């Protein structure tokens, strides 16, 4: 139950399912480059993917399963789609956040960002029923999928606006990398 309690704290920070800068991940920022180029919504893009993530480093994460799934597209600069980030704790339960995509962008370095308001967060204790978490709150959330670095490692940023933690996700704004991709991937069609 201690892990589930920790997960709830992470959910407030948009959980391990939602803390793009929590724990050891905070020590490893997004790939550095010149000042971040301003990304603007493209006229026609489609992003589809499922990734298995680890906030502690590249490699297996026993007892936990953190995934991000996204299906989004833009048509004439208007983004539509859905994203789900889910953290399953083998002995404690699941936390799931879903958001409706309001922006899909690609920056000059190839990082792909989707943002949108959280439509639903659910907490499901092991063996229990799903319960709404933070009902009625719909802060902006975002996922950024970074291209592989020099060592071939792929990173993902995940965050939501949380005034209690002084975090803010802006529409179309990139989220700093906080997780390693250890399985799956994303496909971007232009």
């Amino acid at each position: 139950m201690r892990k589930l309690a920790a997960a709830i704290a992470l959910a407030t920070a948009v959980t391990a399912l939602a803390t793009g800068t929590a724990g050891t991940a905070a020590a490893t920022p997004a790939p550095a480059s010149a000042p971040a180029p301003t990304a603007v919504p493209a006229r026609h893009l489609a992003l589809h993917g499922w990734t298995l993530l680890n906030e502690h480093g590249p490699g297996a994460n026993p007892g936990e399963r953190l995934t991000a799934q996204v299906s989004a597209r833009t048509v004439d600069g208007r983004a539509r789609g859905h994203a789900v980030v889910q953290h399953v704790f083998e002995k404690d339960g699941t936390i799931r956040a879903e958001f409706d995509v309001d922006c899909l962008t690609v920056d000059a370095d190839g990082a792909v960002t989707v943002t949108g308001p959280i439509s639903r967060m659910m907490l499901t204790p092991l063996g229990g029923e799903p319960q709404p978490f933070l009902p009625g709150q719909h802060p902006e959330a975002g996922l950024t999928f970074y291209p592989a670095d020099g060592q071939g490692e792929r990173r993902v940023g995940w965050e939501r606006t949380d005034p209690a933690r002084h975090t803010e996700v802006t529409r179309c704004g990139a989220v700093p990398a906080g997780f390693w991709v250890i399985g799956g991937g994303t496909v971007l069609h232009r």
Side-chain angles (χ1 to χ4, degrees):
M1 201 59 180
R2 193 172 73 194
K3 271 197 164 187
L4 187 57
I8 291 170
L10 289 176
T12 306
V14 169
T15 68
L17 133 272
T19 52
T21 57
T24 58
T28 311
S33 60
T38 303
V40 294
R43 292 189 56 78
H44 299 287
L45 289 176
L47 177 69
H48 300 283
W50 176 91
T51 53
L52 178 60
L53 306 172
N54 187 346
E55 66 181 315
H56 306 292
N61 196 10
E64 299 178 28
R65 184 171 180 85
L66 176 61
T67 58
Q69 180 179 348
V70 64
S71 179
R73 69 182 188 289
T74 61
V75 176
D76 295 326
R78 296 185 60 139
R80 300 271 189 268
H82 195 71
V84 177
V85 179
Q86 180 169 284
H87 202 162
V88 178
F89 295 90
E90 189 177 277
K91 296 179 180 179
D92 297 311
T94 302
I95 298 173
R96 177 182 177 101
E98 301 180 27
F99 68 91
D100 297 317
V101 174
D102 64 10
C103 188
L104 168 60
T105 64
V106 180
D107 72 13
D109 296 326
V112 181
T113 298
V114 292
T115 62
I118 288 182
S119 55
R120 180 167 99 150
M121 286 186 73
M122 299 297 285
L123 171 64
T124 307
L126 192 63
E129 295 293 318
Q131 304 166 12
F133 186 76
L134 303 173
Q137 294 187 20
H138 303 284
E140 192 77 4
L143 281 163
T144 300
F145 298 89
Y146 290 92
D149 63 17
Q151 291 76 38
E153 299 293 337
R154 293 176 295 151
R155 301 292 303 276
V156 172
W158 160 241
E159 188 62 84
R160 76 166 171 109
T161 297
D162 182 353
R165 288 185 41 245
H166 307 289
T167 60
E168 184 174 356
V169 173
T170 58
R171 186 172 186 266
C172 300
V175 179
F179 299 96
W180 284 262
V181 175
I182 58 174
T186 56
V187 177
L188 178 69
H189 299 279
R190 294 177 189 245

